Amino acid sequence: MDLEKMTQQVVSLCQTVGKMIRDEVNRLDEQDVEYKGVHNLVTYVDKKSEEILIKELKKLLPEAGFIAEEDDKLARGSRFNWIVDPLDGTTNFIHKIPLYSISIALNDGEETILGVVHEINLEESFYAWKNGPALLNGKEIRVTDTEILDKSLIATGFPYYDYSKLDPYLDLFKDLMQSSRGVRRLGSAAVDLAYVAAGRFELFYEYGLNPWDVAAGALIVKQAGGQITRFNGDGDYVFGKEIVASNTRVHNEFLRKLSQYFFS
């Protein structure tokens, strides 16, 4: 399998579907919004995007199955699986806030071997493949060399349905407001991860996430020289519902700080 070539094909597909999504933003009406759960929104654009992506990804690797946000009835493959978020940042999209993305990863068993995050509004394609570089629109990207949280810009996301960890989460947030250069909440976990890889953030953390939110971005961070774990420091971050992704240098300092609120 030529992973580099396949990655480039996925990038091209995301760019094509991204233009379709951007063309639809001003046509969207409140009546087009559906609720999958509490504050968990979906539109016909999410569904249309996923249909196109799945159709084309099947052509690229016919034996692969799918783990996709908008259709949990898709068959999973015995070895290869595409992990697809057709529109990460749907709430931003609905409110016409220009930050949302397409996220596509390919897993070989439990290992992610290809990842693409395409931020639609700036037309920025972040991508990587196993044993290859991390790239942004064809140029190699790397995480920062920042060594302490006090000089770091941090990204996070807020839970919209699982509030079981909200108190320690807000306590940590308050701490980071005072012990870093700032904390940002953009509304697309895939973009947050891509921005860590590109050196725009030093660190991203969030809980309550799904594989399609993080699989592609986490690989890009890894290939850009970063580190990814769960809150407790272990490695099951794709399916583990929580993630810490960093430039490596600030990772342990952050985990020590996090543990004071979550594991004390």
Side-chain angles (χ1 to χ4, degrees):
M1 181 185 297
D2 187 337
L3 283 177
E4 180 177 357
K5 179 180 178 181
M6 184 170 291
T7 303
Q8 294 287 356
Q9 290 171 315
V10 175
V11 169
S12 179
L13 172 60
C14 288
Q15 290 170 346
T16 298
V17 176
K19 291 177 182 177
M20 180 276 292
I21 292 173
R22 193 170 59 247
D23 288 343
E24 293 294 324
V25 67
N26 290 318
R27 300 190 182 106
L28 195 72
D29 189 88
E30 184 64 27
Q31 65 184 11
D32 297 317
V33 179
E34 301 175 24
Y35 285 82
K36 296 187 291 183
V38 177
H39 302 148
N40 191 4
L41 310 177
V42 65
T43 72
Y44 71 89
V45 181
D46 299 69
K47 296 177 181 179
K48 181 179 178 182
S49 171
E50 187 167 280
E51 288 174 4
I52 297 170
L53 292 171
I54 289 172
K55 178 183 177 182
E56 296 303 316
L57 291 172
K58 284 181 178 178
K59 296 177 183 177
L60 289 182
L61 192 62
E63 65 267 34
F66 289 88
I67 302 171
E69 180 172 15
E70 306 307 339
D71 192 345
D72 58 7
K73 298 181 179 62
L74 290 165
R76 296 198 182 190
S78 59
R79 178 180 174 183
F80 294 108
N81 282 287
W82 294 105
I83 304 178
V84 180
D85 192 337
L87 181 50
D88 188 46
T90 297
T91 301
N92 282 354
F93 176 75
I94 290 168
H95 288 269
K96 297 180 174 60
I97 297 170
L99 194 142
Y100 37 87
S101 64
I102 299 170
S103 176
I104 298 177
L106 178 63
N107 266 29
D108 182 354
E110 296 298 314
E111 181 184 17
T112 305
I113 59 173
L114 176 163
V116 176
V117 174
H118 177 65
E119 200 292 303
I120 293 166
N121 296 275
L122 293 179
E123 297 187 32
E124 290 189 320
S125 296
F126 305 82
Y127 51 99
W129 58 91
K130 181 180 178 181
N131 298 326
L135 301 167
L136 163 56
N137 290 351
K139 296 183 179 180
E140 187 166 356
I141 52 176
R142 298 290 294 177
V143 296
T144 71
D145 294 325
T146 303
E147 295 186 348
I148 58 174
L149 287 177
D150 189 61
K151 294 183 178 180
S152 297
L153 186 61
I154 296 169
T156 191
F158 299 142
Y160 57 87
Y161 69 93
D162 178 3
Y163 301 110
S164 61
K165 302 175 182 177
L166 188 58
D167 288 341
Y169 205 75
L170 292 177
D171 289 339
L172 174 62
F173 186 85
K174 181 179 178 181
D175 185 328
L176 292 170
M177 287 174 63
Q178 301 171 76
S179 59
S180 72
R181 286 187 173 174
V183 185
R184 301 289 185 264
R185 201 280 192 181
L186 302 184
S188 168
V191 172
D192 290 324
L193 288 162
Y195 282 9
V196 172
R200 297 173 184 177
F201 294 130
E202 274 68 39
L203 184 139
F204 165 68
Y205 71 100
E206 189 173 350
Y207 80 88
L209 296 169
N210 294 295
W212 47 81
D213 298 313
V214 301
L219 177 67
I220 299 168
V221 171
K222 179 181 177 182
Q223 298 307 118
Q227 182 176 359
I228 313 98
T229 67
R230 294 181 65 198
F231 285 8
N232 64 4
D234 78 23
D236 185 23
Y237 49 83
V238 173
F239 294 92
K241 293 289 186 180
E242 59 189 35
I243 194 169
V244 178
S246 79
N247 69 349
T248 300
R249 292 165 178 80
V250 301
H251 205 92
N252 288 337
E253 182 187 358
F254 177 80
L255 290 183
R256 288 193 297 269
K257 188 180 290 290
L258 182 149
S259 69
Q260 296 172 18
Y261 298 100
F262 281 82
F263 306 117
S264 60

